[in-house]
Amino acid sequence: MSGADNGVPLRVEGLSLLTSRDILLDRLSFAVEPGEVLALSGGTRAGKTLLLRALAGLAPKGITVLGDIHIRGRRLLVTQDGALDPLRPLGAQFTELLAHQSGMDERTALRCAAEALERFQVPAAARRLALHPHELGEAMRWRAALALAMAAQPALLLADAPAAALDPTQRVRLLSDLAAWTREAGTALLLAERPQPDPVHSGLADRRLILAQGRLEAPEEEPTPALSPVEPAPSGPPILSVRDLRVAFPLGRSWRGEERWLTVVDGLSIALAEGETLALLGETGSGKSVLARAILRLVPPVGGQVSWLGTDLAAAPPEAMRRARRDLQILFPDPLAAFDPLMTIGAQFAETLESLRPTRSSADRAARLAEALEEVGLPATVLDLHPGALRPAAAARAGLARALLPEPRLLVCDEPAAALDGAERADFLALLQAIRRRRRLALLYATQDAAEGLRIARRALVLLLGRIVESADSSVLAAGARHPYSRALIAAAGLARPALHGDPPSPLRPPTGCALRLRCPLAHDGCAQVPPTLDPVAPGHRVACHVAQDEVQDSAQAGGKAP
């Protein structure tokens, strides 16, 4: 099934994968040229991983492979976990692979390994070769895995959703570096991805194919997702007011006996009116998820105030907190983990109602449960199922139905569609928005995906290491974000290479001055002195950035208006 084919690293003709009962992949035909990046998109269970394994000669047992696979030159598969040998240092793994593939001696292999790591922006690359994989952060481990693959100089690289768990800013930079290297080296790259913005438009890929129901489809022109219809600014008083909220976790005492704390939310203040929508945007470690939980007192704050309809939730007694929980509900990233696996969905719905909104009769309760499921598009038979029987899309809708049972006024969403992709994700978010408008719910939506957050919410806050660095209406941020961090999040959401470099700083050792300065292309000496304050740069638009504030001052001195 393998052989030379006029210099083309990969040509597939009529490839089918079958079991005794099902056709898993049906007559696929395509080719990848030298130096070409071909993106293969498809939802969960579309067959992307199965296809890449078959191309690598690793089709699972019991699978019949029909058709022709022509491969010219060396092929390598990078799996979804980017597996490295946990028992051996990086240098030994590079040396073994390069000695086997290219016949390099140890000294040459180590030099080649250091150069490969440097191509993926790994600092002090030569010293990293002495480390084991568990001594590396997630982003650094993925750089090492891809560097190892490219150092072997394959003619064909098969990459199965590499670095999917990384923050968008880190992942897009990593994939951009990988695509640039493969084009320069003449390596054909087949990059399997979940549904996302078209990578061809951003330059990440040269072509794109879509795998759906076991068949390849040519991608259709995708319309640019529009922002949600502009809603009028709220006119009433805030129903939720957060002032100087601070969340920190004790780390024990230092060798000097000083108590140490990890500050995750650092003096944040927000306000939300009836029916208003607010997005919290930021990378992992920005504090958005902890802030969402602290507002509901699922995480105890160490300072500040959370006021709901005039009641300070941070100091509320249990009975007052129980009454407030009728109005305040949350959706988690993993809805299945939020359910008790030993109880049926119906029993857990009934428990929620009995605890927060007791009904007068069993008939009334049954009607309420059926209405909740109908509102989210699930059949009543779901009530008899255990959570483990639900697929991710149904579990997300069941979680939403349970949150709606107490008739809340505020819905806090922490990456509620994280387990979904493609059409399932879009359908769930459309349902969430329709229900929010119909019920006139206030919505707090935390997400890494800046484009998604800006589409859903009327207003947005961008968080970095527990502080707000930019605040504006979503339409303003989408058209002209001022902070380099905001721009990077928005660029990465569209698969464009963000201008930031390096990894996010550790909250255990934050840099002095501006928290972004070590990654920011605009940083100057003054950025290391003091943290920038959140100041207005235009009506309703505030930015915590020395560079942006300098631009506003220069414009004012020149007699112009703030941009």
Side-chain angles (χ1 to χ4, degrees), residues 100 141 178 269 286 559:
H100 175 72
R141 187 178 63 80
L178 176 64
S269 297
S286 63

Side-chain angles (χ1 to χ4, degrees), residues 13 40 48 78 229 242 248 253 255 273 292 338 348 369-370 492 509 529 537:
E13 298 177 347
L40 179 67
K48 305 184 299 296
V78 178
V242 179
R253 296 185 178 275
W255 64 274
Q348 295 182 66
L369 300 188
R509 294 180 298 276
Q529 304 305 315
V537 295

Side-chain angles (χ1 to χ4, degrees), residues 2-48:
S2 298
D5 189 24
N6 300 324
V8 177
L10 173 65
R11 183 177 299 280
V12 177
E13 298 177 347
L15 177 64
S16 296
L17 270 63
L18 306 88
T19 66
S20 59
R21 299 177 54 187
D22 300 307
I23 299 176
L24 306 178
L25 297 178
D26 187 14
R27 293 169 293 177
L28 309 186
S29 297
F30 63 95
V32 190
E33 301 287 337
E36 182 184 21
V37 180
L38 176 61
L40 179 67
S41 296
T44 304
R45 297 176 295 277
K48 305 184 299 296

